[in-house]
Amino acid sequence: AGMFAFDIIDHISGGTMGLSTPWWVEKWINEPIVARYPFLWFAINILWLILFCFAVLRVMRYLADLSTGFLTLRVKVNAKINLEKMDLYLADKPIDITDSMEEPAMAIKKVAWQERDRALWAGGAPPKLELTYDVQYGFLLSVLFQLDKKKSELDEDGLMRIFTATLAEHGVLEDYDPPRSKYAAANRKPQPLED
């Protein structure tokens, strides 16, 4: 950042570009500052360096803060699906990316889109979804969620619960038992033993 800060000052005055010094640099910088007080120009350069580096660091911290707080969740599903209903379900989605891989023994399709229905996703920022499914045998292999956690209250279980409920509502899933939360077993009341 320091070299860039000095390059900006150098190029503004026409320094290393092989050009003659502009009149305004001679009139407003060289004559009143550099000719009279040589170390004042050095001090101004150092002050510029400090201000520029401070601004660059603030921008970098801001950009780093924007990039934190994202949840990426990949769930291996391996569930039987109805391909016709999957096609109908995906027809309503704003598909961003589609990728297919076909070989004699398998046909895998990957579809990605950004959800838009905030109400469906508990009022927070909707996730970006990527489904991988087997077109030949009709299996949903995996789902990838990408969610901005700063704008949503959903956790991993909430994402999967809403997603599986939506697929079940559209008739896509066949005989699927969603994975249980690791916390669900701890909160479940014990069942009495039958004789």
Side-chain angles (χ1 to χ4, degrees), residues 63-145:
L63 293 174
D65 287 345
L66 286 180
S67 69
T68 58
F70 278 85
L71 169 68
T72 301
L73 173 67
R74 182 180 303 274
V75 179
K76 185 187 282 188
V77 180
N78 288 336
K80 185 79 173 137
I81 58 171
N82 182 320
L83 289 172
E84 291 175 6
K85 294 194 176 175
M86 175 63 95
D87 289 340
L88 290 172
Y89 172 72
L90 293 174
D92 292 338
K93 302 297 177 189
I95 304 297
D96 294 330
I97 299 170
T98 302
D99 185 22
S100 297
M101 182 179 74
E102 292 192 32
E103 292 182 7
M106 67 176 182
I108 305 293
K109 190 169 187 179
K110 197 179 282 191
V111 182
W113 72 92
Q114 174 68 48
E115 281 287 343
R116 295 197 174 126
D117 189 356
R118 294 179 72 87
L120 174 66
W121 298 95
K128 182 172 185 175
L129 285 136
E130 180 181 293
L131 299 183
T132 305
Y133 61 101
D134 187 331
V135 180
Q136 187 170 353
Y137 297 107
F139 272 87
L140 177 59
L141 303 175
S142 68
V143 59
L144 173 75
F145 298 94

Side-chain angles (χ1 to χ4, degrees), residues 9-27 30:
I9 286 184
D10 198 32
H11 285 84
I12 284 176
S13 65
T16 58
M17 292 191 280
L19 303 172
S20 61
T21 307
W23 66 268
W24 59 271
V25 172
E26 286 292 332
K27 184 175 180 182
N30 286 348

Side-chain angles (χ1 to χ4, degrees), residues 143-160:
V143 59
L144 173 75
F145 298 94
Q146 293 175 334
L147 178 69
D148 186 356
K149 285 289 288 174
K150 295 183 299 286
K151 298 177 182 175
S152 177
E153 297 294 321
L154 287 174
D155 61 357
E156 293 88 344
D157 294 328
L159 287 169
M160 200 59 195

